[in-house]
Amino acid sequence: MKKDIIIGMLVGLIANSIGLLAAATLLGNGDDFTNVIKAAANEGFLGKLISLGAVLNLIAFFIFIKKRQDYRARGVLLITVFIAVFTFIFKLY
């Protein structure tokens, strides 16, 4: 049970990282990833970029639900909630 939740959390982190990379690449106008992240932080939309990256977590969640791997889906959901709280706190400061 704990192993499946941890696997789901890792899948959620990897999916979010890939989504963030894809969003930065698509919205970055050909700039380097680190430059896009720095510009997003300076202009105040880094939280939105991270949230956009979390869309891939939705796909991973539904794949785990369809395969009846509920504990892995729970791990993905935990990471998604953590990312939501992180972006909310990040926007406050």
Side-chain angles (χ1 to χ4, degrees), residues 59-90:
I59 296 169
F61 177 77
F62 281 117
I63 288 172
F64 285 141
I65 291 292
K66 186 162 177 89
K67 290 183 175 183
R68 298 202 176 261
Q69 296 175 339
D70 295 337
Y71 289 109
R72 290 184 182 188
R74 187 179 295 180
V76 172
L77 185 63
L78 284 172
I79 286 298
T80 306
V81 168
F82 174 76
I83 290 168
V85 170
F86 173 75
T87 55
F88 179 73
I89 291 171
F90 188 76

Side-chain angles (χ1 to χ4, degrees), residues 6-40:
I6 291 172
I7 289 171
M9 291 174 76
L10 289 174
V11 168
L13 283 174
I14 291 169
N16 193 23
S17 299
I18 292 171
L20 177 62
L21 181 65
T25 302
L26 291 173
L27 301 175
N29 297 327
D31 288 340
D32 186 30
F33 176 74
T34 55
N35 291 338
V36 172
I37 296 299
K38 287 177 186 176

Side-chain angles (χ1 to χ4, degrees), residues 16 19-20 23 37 45-55 83-84 86-87 90:
N16 193 23
L20 177 62
I37 296 299
F45 67 92
L46 182 61
K48 293 177 184 177
L49 198 61
I50 293 171
S51 297
L52 199 62
V55 170
I83 290 168
F86 173 75
T87 55
F90 188 76

